[in-house]
Amino acid sequence: MADKFILSDEEWSKRLTPQEYQVLRHHGTERPGSGCFLGTKTPGTYVCAGCGNPLFKSGEKFESGTGWPSFTQPLGPDAVTEYQDRSYGMLRTEVRCGRCDGHLGHVFPDGPPPTGLRYCMNSVAMKHVPEGQPLQLVTK
């Protein structure tokens, strides 16, 4: 796991697009069915749009029918962190980038085998690095 990537709110707002900033830094969500990674099957790695941290392998992606890209498991134990989310009168598990703490989405216990988990992510919170291309962490 790479060192934590910490920026001020002002620095984040300058680096990210308005939609990335809203989702990653203010725990927003994109409209269901609007994400660019719905239905994609290109081999590679999904990385955090904020810091480049590797999050999910394309082979773990599946069509959940929820309107957001879904994965069965993260790339490794330090790729993401999970937090209890009690917003909007619900109890959910929020998923954040393990490096920059950016909001990615939520995980639910209704996914397919082998994990039974559904990591329901915002497309705008990630970028896709095609197989064979180098992964690069963002630096200050």
Side-chain angles (χ1 to χ4, degrees):
M1 171 65 168
D3 291 337
K4 291 289 186 181
F5 187 69
I6 300 168
L7 297 175
S8 70
D9 194 52
E10 182 180 347
E11 290 170 308
W12 280 120
S13 69
K14 289 178 183 174
R15 285 178 175 250
L16 302 172
T17 68
Q19 191 178 19
E20 288 171 343
Y21 179 72
Q22 179 60 30
V23 171
L24 286 164
R25 307 319 307 170
H26 290 283
H27 308 271
T29 190
E30 62 197 8
R31 289 185 336 273
S34 68
C36 64
F37 294 131
L38 281 175
T40 61
K41 298 188 184 316
T42 308
T45 302
Y46 291 87
V47 301
C48 176
C51 73
N53 186 41
L55 303 169
F56 300 96
K57 290 299 283 180
S58 59
E60 300 298 333
K61 187 171 179 282
F62 69 98
E63 295 303 321
S64 65
T66 61
W68 290 276
S70 298
F71 301 85
T72 58
Q73 63 187 355
L75 193 61
D78 296 331
V80 300
T81 54
E82 298 178 6
Y83 297 88
Q84 192 175 81
D85 177 2
R86 293 183 174 269
S87 62
Y88 304 106
M90 296 183 274
L91 179 58
R92 303 177 291 175
T93 302
E94 178 189 10
V95 178
R96 297 183 195 170
C97 173
R99 183 171 181 241
C100 73
D101 207 34
H103 173 77
L104 303 170
H106 292 85
V107 61
F108 301 95
D110 60 1
T115 64
L117 298 174
R118 173 174 53 95
Y119 284 83
C120 190
M121 304 290 100
N122 289 286
S123 289
V124 72
M126 301 180 296
K127 295 191 183 301
H128 181 265
V129 178
E131 196 170 279
Q133 289 191 9
L135 300 175
Q136 296 183 339
L137 293 174
V138 173
T139 60
K140 294 181 183 185

